[in-house]
Amino acid sequence: MRITVVRGDITDQHVDAVVNAANSSLLGGGGVDGAIHRRGGPAILEECRRLRAGHLGGGLPVGQAVATTAGNLPAKWVIHTVGPVFTDGQDNIGPLASCFRESLRVADELGARTVALPAISTGVYRYPLEEAAYVSLWTLARASTSVDEVRLVLFDQKAYDTFDRALEALDPSDAEVEDELRRVPEEKWRELFELADGLTTEDREFTWGGGEKNEDGVIQWPYPRYSDRLWQLYVALPSANADWMKWMSGNPLRTEPARLAGAPVADAARLATVYVRGERFNDGVFGRAFQDGSMDAIIARLRTWYDTER
Ligand code: ADP
């Protein structure tokens, strides 16, 4: 499946199916929804009403998708899906990812081969653009589907730039990163896990050097002072040949590393890369990853892969 990102209007797309960022009522709204009903004409709303009179009496639940005619749009079908209203302290990622998976599932049922989708939830539903871009594209990239082309259609330049950046971070793929991990020699893995098992509280509570004037009166910029074991771990950690800066922008694994347990091992390697390469700025990011649970999550995910998956 090919994923493309274009700037444009979703109602202009000549594809088999366009996805509508609908609301639960299915009876129309603003943004994408308004544009689709305006351009598509009354046939779409009629079919939505029939769905509401039938098995969707209570409306379409968040994260699910359903198809109707595309009316006068240059497409065969509209797939309506309901994104989550972004809410602090709730799982927004699960339902947003579900919208993309379910839309592709419905597209497969219809036999659609080309599908255009908007940036679901990023309008009235206030989902932050960067995280939405990450969640949307990575969910699509990991979906199993018969769709040939998935086209993300972004309305404004900012949304386009954000999605384009997230798209570039899909390279190298999970499979390519995993191949890199397979080439890491056995003894390197054993060394890594031994070092991780031997971590002490002192290793994690690293100290800082610098900050004082030297003989020339120059103030040495503060730098983290890591234990030998932490440095050895720094060297032993496998990483991914990924554009880590692009990959980490908006990436929920930065703030919720526990999610790695359910993610492909490639993401553990990418997240390790964020901390290893980030450490070049000498700001203690590598050490902090041992304090906030990130490094434990990375090593645990690598270990599961090493023990049971590779
Ligand atoms: P939601 O309610 O899921 O947030 P919106 O329709 O309000 O959905 O917005 C979703 C995204 O679609 C926003 O980024 C918005 O700028 C964009 N958008 C609005 N109109 C169009 C259109 N005609 N084509 C493509 N994208 C659009």
Side-chain angles (χ1 to χ4, degrees):
M1 182 185 68
R2 205 158 66 93
I3 301 178
T4 55
V5 165
V6 302
R7 193 177 162 192
D9 186 325
I10 192 105
T11 63
D12 290 335
Q13 306 303 312
H14 293 255
V15 284
D16 293 337
V18 298
V19 172
N20 180 17
N23 59 52
S24 261
S25 79
L26 290 179
L27 300 179
V32 171
D33 205 8
I36 283 178
H37 283 286
R38 261 195 313 280
R39 278 284 289 280
I44 302 175
L45 191 58
E46 265 165 43
E47 212 176 319
C48 285
R49 287 221 170 87
R50 277 202 295 278
L51 288 169
R52 286 299 308 273
H55 74 289
L56 291 177
L60 182 64
V62 173
Q64 296 191 16
V66 69
T68 66
T69 171
N72 304 324
L73 293 176
K76 290 188 201 127
W77 301 282
V78 172
I79 297 171
H80 307 262
T81 188
V82 183
V85 176
F86 188 84
T87 315
D88 274 325
Q90 268 186 29
D91 175 29
N92 301 288
I93 298 169
L96 184 62
S98 173
C99 287
F100 286 91
R101 269 195 307 269
E102 285 299 299
S103 295
L104 288 189
R105 193 185 56 73
V106 171
D108 280 340
E109 274 173 22
L110 296 166
R113 284 307 172 88
T114 51
V115 179
L117 302 106
I120 298 166
S121 280
T122 64
V124 184
Y125 286 0
R126 300 184 314 268
Y127 206 117
L129 206 49
E130 283 206 317
E131 186 177 296
Y134 175 87
V135 173
S136 306
L137 287 168
W138 288 81
T139 303
L140 290 169
R142 288 165 179 170
S144 68
T145 172
S146 312
V147 171
D148 295 325
E149 189 203 339
V150 164
R151 190 184 304 166
L152 265 300
V153 183
L154 291 316
F155 206 47
D156 58 55
Q157 191 63 39
K158 187 166 168 238
Y160 171 80
D161 290 342
T162 308
F163 272 72
D164 190 48
R165 202 175 147 87
L167 179 69
E168 282 175 30
L170 287 175
D171 186 45
S173 68
D174 292 341
E176 286 165 327
V177 173
E178 208 173 327
D179 277 346
E180 284 179 49
L181 292 180
R182 280 203 191 86
R183 287 196 287 273
V184 173
E186 285 294 311
E187 60 274 16
K188 199 116 189 272
W189 285 113
R190 278 197 295 273
E191 185 196 350
L192 173 74
F193 297 133
E194 268 168 35
L195 285 166
D197 289 339
L199 272 179
T200 65
T201 319
E202 292 81 63
D203 290 323
R204 290 174 189 268
E205 285 165 3
F206 63 97
T207 57
W208 288 86
E212 316 99 19
K213 275 197 180 120
N214 66 17
E215 302 101 69
D216 308 325
V218 179
I219 294 177
Q220 159 81 55
W221 200 259
Y223 60 90
R225 261 205 213 111
Y226 297 135
S227 70
D228 287 346
R229 194 191 316 274
L230 229 59
W231 275 124
Q232 284 161 2
L233 249 164
Y234 181 84
V235 175
L237 259 184
S239 54
N241 188 20
D243 188 329
W244 59 280
M245 286 221 194
K246 280 186 183 136
W247 181 77
M248 78 179 188
S249 70
N251 194 316
L253 291 169
R254 275 304 300 281
T255 46
E256 299 170 67
R259 286 182 178 276
L260 266 184
V265 68
D267 270 349
R270 293 186 184 100
L271 192 59
T273 310
V274 168
Y275 294 114
V276 168
R277 302 262 176 88
E279 184 56 33
R280 291 179 190 167
F281 296 104
N282 258 355
D283 61 358
V285 70
F286 187 69
R288 276 200 303 281
F290 286 89
Q291 296 171 348
D292 69 8
S294 299
M295 205 50 77
D296 294 294
I298 289 167
I299 290 165
R301 184 66 190 86
L302 290 171
R303 207 191 292 255
T304 305
W305 177 80
Y306 179 83
D307 288 341
T308 62
E309 294 171 29
R310 75 195 160 123

